[in-house]
């Protein structure tokens, strides 16, 4: 009996190895060369090609606008029998729900969304962890105590990041304020640069961002201010300004998803990995003084060990109301639907 | 020696077919060179690059027109182009240059959203709902075009500038609403209205790949064809377009015709916006149209304002858009290269048009002797 089992499993594995390559597609919201968000997802795609070789075929399309136009793209890949389709922007949610229902044989993975179907799962990273760490650096380095934050859309993902950053700032510098400007775009270098300049005009000496382009970094560099990036090491764009960035590392996670799909163990889970899972991390440049870098690294270790949560109470909101008392922290559900600012943020959620 | 550009006295009959065909062929040829260079850069081998270029061409030309999935995609891209193109033809026949198709499309979508989510939210019958929304969308497009119409009729303003500028105003209105008061309360702060209720959605076929708005566009084209060829309006509007002076002498009210032409033109585009909302979008968002209103100008023009030809040209342009998507999706072509291709096609088509209508004359006389 045991032998038959072994024989069958060997056969199955052989069959899986000889089967046609898994066709994987990625849909990006900005150009692959945006130097940020889409570039990092594309790194993840290249990681798949390196790891799986002939077992996968990958394709991608860049600059796909969010909204109904995206539907044709998802449909297009599903119609060609792509087995696994990654949509990497929040605004693809409606399209992915619709197309996943029409094509039950394909597997869909939506980054940063909250809706699932039988063959649509979601995935994201606990970016608030490295955001908090980058806030520590910002709080330690600002001199004017005005920190500018160029933010994309007032959705929970972005708000959560701003709050975590502000919590980090507050941790080392209770005087400093985080000023938020909304750009209402993920990728529009001109607009994002302008937004950063408006923050520099009101006295900010450090700029950070939740944007896909490095334009805010360049604005800081031009004015001799400091900057904290997002998505990737952006030092090439602002060599004298760039201090650090919360970064994405999608390779291992994409590998995990592909492996599950190949082995038939994929489920429509809602994956949310943190620093300890390797999906997100903090990148610190040489411009950060050793003392600050050491603090950041020890706090990072505390987060990995589960000893520290960026939203450990007490946490007050902008109205001064106590949101989390000493010893409390938000649940995942509360984090995922966050729609208020902590008390050292200046700006409105519109 | 001097070179003059002058209008050809006679334009050969066959040129209306030959010129577009040759122009497209030229555009494809130029694209081929760019593709070849691009693929050579990627593959580093000329014969492989040739093969890849050939494959890419095949993909771009066969998928949108000769594959059952591709044709549906093409038809769906065609619908908004056809609506706006048909609308524009109504004004262009009278040589009234409505450049505001994009804005009228947006206003139609805006009004449709207002109807579906607020004004008619208690209507439960899908048929009634869809009729009401269509009327509202057409009315909004018409009213949006009424502004330049009144300005042209009574203040003799230039409609090109006014209709063009109103596009931006319409887009900003939509942005204001979707980022502000109409933002979906359940949308977690993401800009965009709530989704349309089921009774405000057009019936779809083939796994949602096709909606019945296509048939509305076809019906409309037939009606317009009849109006242009067989009715008094069709004849009179042609006269106004060809010779306003003569029209005035024969008792046609230019003011009335100007206003009606622009308003109907806008109403058709507005209806297109409503159909696009009910058929595909189901939720008003920033960037509702990727420039359908502008592409439709070229569609109407290439079709020589013939409603049936507009359907055909809109179909071809829809296919071009779908084919471009395929190149991006399966050949990893950058978005910017796709924009270059679209530019090349338009450039060749408009250039071909100009060559057919005008000619260069080189005269041997010295410039001095002409004085």
């Amino acid at each position: 009996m045991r032998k038959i089992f072994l024989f069958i499993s060997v056969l199955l594995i052989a069959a899986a190895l000889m089967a046609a390559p898994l066709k994987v597609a990625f849909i990006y919201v900005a150009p692959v060369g945006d130097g940020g968000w889409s570039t990092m997802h594309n790194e993840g795609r290249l990681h798949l090609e390196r790891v799986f070789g002939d077992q996968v075929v990958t394709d991608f399309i860049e600059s796909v606008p969010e909204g109904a136009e995206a539907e044709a793209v998802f449909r297009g890949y599903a119609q060609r029998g792509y087995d696994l389709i990654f949509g990497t922007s929040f605004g693809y949610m409606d399209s992915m729900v619709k197309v996943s229902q029409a094509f039950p044989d394909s597997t869909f993975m939506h980054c940063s969304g909250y809706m699932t179907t039988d063959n649509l799962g979601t995935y994201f990273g606990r970016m608030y962890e490295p955001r908090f760490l980058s806030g520590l650096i910002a709080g330690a380095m600002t001199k004017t105590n005005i920190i500018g934050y160029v933010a994309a859309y007032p959705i929970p993902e972005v708000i959560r990041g701003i709050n975590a950053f502000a919590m980090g700032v507050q941790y080392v510098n209770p005087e400093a304020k985080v000023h938020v400007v909304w750009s209402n775009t993920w990728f529009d270098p001109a607009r994002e640069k302008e937004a950063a300049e408006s923050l520099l005009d009101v006295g900010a000496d450090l700029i950070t961002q939740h944007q896909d382009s490095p334009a805010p970094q360049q604005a800081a560099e031009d004015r001799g201010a400091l900057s904290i990036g997002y998505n990737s090491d952006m030092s090439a764009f602002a060599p004298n300004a760039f201090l650090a960035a919360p970064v994405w590392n999608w390779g291992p996670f994409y590998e995990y998803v592909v492996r599950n799909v190949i082995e038939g163990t994929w489920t429509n889970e809602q994956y949310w990995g943190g620093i300890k899972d390797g999906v997100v991390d903090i990148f610190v440049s040489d411009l950060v003084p050793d003392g600050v870098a050491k603090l950041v690294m020890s706090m990072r270790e505390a987060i990995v060990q589960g000893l520290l949560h960026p939203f450990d109470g007490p946490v007050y909101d902008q109205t001064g109301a106590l949101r989390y008392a000493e010893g409390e922290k938000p649940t995942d559900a509360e984090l995922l639907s966050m729609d208020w600012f902590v008390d050292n943020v200046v700006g409105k959620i519109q | 020696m001097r070179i003059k550009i002058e209008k050809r006295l006679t334009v050969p009959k066959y040129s209306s077919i030959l010129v577009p065909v040759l122009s497209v062929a030229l555009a494809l040829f130029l694209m081929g060179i760019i593709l070849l260079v691009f693929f050579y850069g990627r593959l580093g081998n000329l014969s492989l690059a040739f093969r890849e270029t050939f494959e890419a061409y095949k993909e771009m030309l066969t998928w949108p027109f000769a594959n059952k999935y591709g044709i549906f995609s093409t038809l769906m891209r065609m619908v908004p182009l056809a609506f706006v193109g048909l609308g524009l033809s109504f004004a262009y026949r009278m040589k009234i240059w409505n450049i505001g198709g994009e804005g009228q499309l947006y206003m139609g979508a805006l009004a449709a959203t207002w109807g579906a989510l607020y004004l008619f939210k208690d209507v439960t019958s899908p048929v009634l709902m869809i009729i009401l929304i269509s009327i509202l969308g057409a009315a909004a497009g018409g009213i949006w075009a009424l502004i330049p119409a009144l300005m042209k009729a009574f203040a003799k303003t230039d409609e090109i500038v006014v209709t063009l500028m109103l596009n931006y105003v319409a887009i900003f209105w939509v942005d204001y609403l979707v980022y502000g008061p109409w933002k979906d309360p359940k949308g977690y702060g993401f800009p965009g209205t709530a989704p349309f209720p089921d009774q405000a959605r057009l019936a779809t076929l083939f796994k949602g790949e096709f909606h019945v708005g296509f048939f509305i566009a076809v019906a409309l084209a037939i009606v317009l064809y009849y109006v242009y060829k067989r009715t008094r309006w069709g004849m009179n509007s042609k006269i106004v377009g060809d010779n306003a002076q003569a029209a005035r002498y024969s008792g046609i009210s230019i003011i009335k015709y100007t206003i009606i032409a622009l308003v109907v033109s806008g109403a058709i585009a507005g209806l297109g916006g409503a159909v696009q909302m009910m058929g595909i979008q189901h939720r008003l968002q920033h960037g509702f149209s990727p420039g359908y209103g502008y592409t439709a100008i070229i569609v109407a023009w290439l079709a020589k304002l013939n409603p049936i030809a507009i359907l055909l040209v809109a179909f071809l342009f829809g296919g071009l858009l779908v084919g471009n998507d395929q190149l991006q999706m399966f050949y990893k072509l950058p978005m910017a290269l796709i924009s270059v291709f679209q530019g090349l096609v338009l450039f060749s088509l408009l250039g071909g048009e100009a060559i057919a209508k005008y000619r260069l004359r080189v005269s041997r006389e010295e410039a001095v002797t002409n004085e």
Side-chain angles (χ1 to χ4, degrees):
Chain A
M1 190 66 194
R2 211 143 167 208
K3 273 189 178 156
I4 297 174
F5 231 114
L6 198 71
F7 181 69
I8 290 175
S9 42
V10 167
L11 261 187
L12 278 177
I13 290 169
L17 285 176
M18 285 160 67
L22 191 79
K23 288 163 82 179
V24 187
F26 289 82
I27 290 92
Y28 306 135
V29 71
V32 285
D34 67 0
W37 176 258
S38 295
T39 299
M40 295 318 278
H41 282 286
N42 201 45
E43 291 292 322
R45 181 183 71 82
L46 295 171
H47 176 86
L48 289 183
E49 292 197 332
R50 276 194 302 273
V51 171
F52 290 98
D54 294 342
Q55 280 179 283
V56 298
V57 172
T58 69
D59 257 309
F60 70 84
I61 176 168
E62 63 180 8
S63 303
V64 175
E66 298 179 308
E69 296 300 315
E71 193 183 318
V73 170
F74 286 99
R75 230 171 241 291
Y77 281 121
Q79 285 160 349
R80 299 289 183 96
Y82 276 68
D83 305 287
L84 176 57
I85 300 167
F86 290 96
T88 62
S89 201
F90 181 81
Y92 297 152
M93 190 159 64
D94 289 352
S95 309
M96 293 191 76
V97 168
K98 235 194 248 178
V99 177
S100 69
Q101 284 163 343
F103 293 90
D105 294 336
S106 299
T107 301
F108 294 81
M109 287 295 284
H110 182 210
C111 187
S112 78
Y114 56 86
M115 284 169 84
T116 59
T117 66
D118 287 346
N119 54 330
L120 168 65
T122 65
Y123 64 102
F124 210 22
R126 295 179 187 269
M127 189 42 95
Y128 64 88
E129 295 176 353
R131 283 270 185 212
F132 172 81
L133 298 175
S134 71
L136 296 173
I137 299 174
M141 303 293 287
T142 178
K143 292 201 172 63
T144 59
N145 283 341
I146 300 174
I147 297 167
Y149 201 122
V150 185
Y153 293 99
I155 61 176
E157 169 198 348
V158 181
I159 293 167
R160 195 165 61 235
I162 294 168
N163 282 341
F165 178 83
M167 291 297 290
V169 169
Q170 200 168 45
Y171 198 92
V172 294
N173 184 348
E175 303 297 312
K177 300 273 184 226
V178 178
H179 291 245
V180 174
V181 169
W182 301 108
S183 67
N184 278 318
T185 170
W186 291 121
F187 180 78
D188 185 340
R191 198 140 148 201
E192 293 160 24
K193 191 165 186 186
E194 256 172 45
E197 280 164 356
S198 75
L199 288 161
L200 291 161
D201 288 341
V202 298
D205 65 346
L206 193 150
I207 295 292
T208 189
Q209 64 179 75
H210 192 131
Q211 302 286 174
D212 297 355
S213 90
Q217 308 292 306
Q218 290 162 330
E221 171 93 8
D222 291 350
R223 297 274 190 100
L226 296 170
S227 68
I228 288 175
Y230 174 46
N231 292 312
S232 58
D233 169 11
M234 291 180 159
S235 52
F237 302 100
N240 301 309
F242 178 80
L243 297 173
V247 293
W248 292 102
N249 178 25
W250 293 111
F253 174 72
Y254 282 154
E255 187 184 330
Y256 159 83
V257 175
V258 168
R259 198 145 271 150
N260 278 330
V261 171
I262 290 178
E263 288 167 6
T265 50
W266 183 89
T267 59
N268 62 347
E269 68 177 323
Q270 298 201 283
Y271 177 88
W272 206 21
I275 296 181
K276 74 171 159 44
D277 307 291
V279 181
V280 294
D281 211 336
I282 177 95
F283 174 89
V284 181
S285 85
D286 297 339
L287 296 184
V288 177
D290 276 352
V292 178
K294 279 212 181 77
L295 170 74
V296 168
M297 285 306 147
S298 63
M299 298 291 261
R300 177 187 179 281
E301 192 51 34
I303 290 174
V304 170
Q305 300 291 333
L307 302 172
L308 174 80
H309 190 287
F311 290 103
D312 278 331
V315 178
Y316 295 90
D317 69 17
Q318 277 179 320
T319 65
L322 182 68
R323 288 282 182 156
Y324 299 103
E326 186 101 38
E328 285 181 353
K329 63 184 176 203
T331 63
D332 277 2
E334 286 167 340
L335 285 171
L336 287 167
S337 59
M338 204 170 245
D339 60 356
W340 50 272
F341 276 148
V342 296
D343 56 352
N344 61 334
V345 174
V346 180
K348 257 173 61 186
I349 296 171
Q350 291 150 338
Chain B
M1 196 174 86
R2 54 166 34 187
I3 299 170
K4 267 169 70 182
I5 298 174
E6 55 181 34
K7 217 167 181 156
R8 285 181 200 272
L9 293 177
T10 54
V11 179
K13 273 263 182 286
Y14 57 80
S15 78
S16 67
I17 301 291
L18 196 65
V19 167
V21 169
L22 283 180
S23 309
V24 170
L26 175 72
L28 288 177
F29 174 73
L30 293 174
M31 269 168 64
I33 295 176
I34 296 175
L35 273 181
L36 195 63
V37 172
F38 181 81
F39 285 132
Y40 181 69
R42 178 188 286 168
L43 302 166
N45 174 323
L46 201 58
S47 73
L48 277 181
F50 262 112
R51 198 157 65 198
E52 191 80 349
T53 304
F54 180 73
E55 290 290 319
Y57 260 112
K58 215 172 88 188
E59 175 78 32
M60 192 181 74
L61 298 176
T62 56
W63 177 267
F65 303 114
N67 173 287
K68 87 176 157 143
Y69 288 127
I71 284 184
F72 287 131
S73 309
T74 302
L75 289 175
M76 291 300 93
R77 290 292 187 101
M78 161 194 174
V79 169
L81 292 175
F83 270 105
V84 184
L86 290 170
L88 296 180
S89 75
F90 202 87
Y92 290 180
R93 277 171 56 84
M94 287 176 51
K95 296 210 166 61
I96 294 173
W97 307 117
N98 176 10
I99 308 298
E102 183 83 350
Q104 290 142 17
L105 190 75
Y106 265 89
M107 289 317 270
L110 187 153
T113 308
W114 184 45
L117 298 181
Y118 302 96
L119 198 56
F120 309 134
K121 68 170 188 277
D122 300 323
V123 177
T124 50
S125 149
V127 176
L128 181 64
M129 183 72 148
I130 285 163
I131 292 174
L132 285 172
I133 290 178
S134 301
I135 294 171
L136 198 63
I143 290 169
W144 204 242
L146 181 66
I147 303 168
L150 292 177
M151 289 170 73
K152 182 177 173 63
F154 295 109
K156 302 234 175 332
T157 56
D158 179 21
E159 76 279 12
I160 296 179
V161 177
V162 180
T163 53
L164 175 68
M165 291 303 154
L166 282 175
N167 287 344
Y168 301 103
V169 179
I171 292 170
F172 282 130
W173 268 115
V174 167
D175 279 357
Y176 164 69
L177 290 169
V178 303
Y179 286 117
W182 283 7
K183 189 148 73 177
D184 181 6
K186 296 195 196 87
Y188 289 89
F190 203 67
T193 65
F196 274 32
D198 284 342
Q199 67 268 25
R201 297 181 183 208
L202 291 179
T204 57
L205 305 165
F206 309 104
K207 285 188 188 173
E209 275 157 42
F210 180 82
H211 65 78
V212 297
F214 169 74
F215 298 114
I216 305 177
V218 172
L220 190 67
I222 295 169
V223 169
L224 285 181
Y225 185 81
Y226 177 81
V227 169
Y228 293 169
K229 298 278 172 187
R230 294 287 154 82
T231 63
R232 175 191 284 271
W233 169 271
M235 198 179 72
N236 285 355
S237 62
K238 192 89 177 51
I239 296 171
V240 176
D242 288 345
N243 191 337
Q245 207 69 359
R248 198 172 294 123
Y249 291 138
S250 66
I252 296 170
S253 160
I254 304 282
I255 287 183
K256 190 176 105 185
Y257 269 68
T258 300
I259 292 174
I260 293 177
L262 266 168
V263 167
V264 172
S265 177
I268 295 172
L271 175 62
V275 165
Q276 188 73 355
M277 285 306 303
M278 295 188 290
I280 293 188
Q281 310 257 16
H282 305 315
R283 181 202 290 276
L284 190 60
Q285 279 180 314
H286 166 77
F288 157 75
S289 154
Y292 288 129
Y294 297 108
T295 310
I297 297 172
I298 298 154
V299 169
W301 196 243
L302 287 175
K304 304 268 188 288
L305 311 184
N306 176 324
I308 307 301
I310 286 174
L311 288 182
L312 200 71
V313 177
F315 179 73
L316 291 176
F317 265 76
L320 179 73
L321 296 177
V322 173
N324 287 340
D325 277 356
Q326 304 306 308
L327 288 186
Q328 278 197 80
M329 289 167 69
F330 303 108
Y331 291 86
K332 300 193 183 81
L333 288 194
M335 177 69 181
L337 210 51
I338 300 298
S339 306
V340 171
F341 289 166
Q342 290 174 353
L344 275 178
V345 172
L346 296 185
F347 176 79
S348 311
L349 284 171
L350 297 177
E353 188 89 347
I355 291 171
K357 278 211 178 124
Y358 300 90
R359 63 175 177 192
L360 289 182
R361 209 178 68 169
V362 183
S363 55
R364 292 219 153 255
E365 313 140 61
E366 291 296 314
V368 204
T369 58
N370 258 357
E371 278 179 19

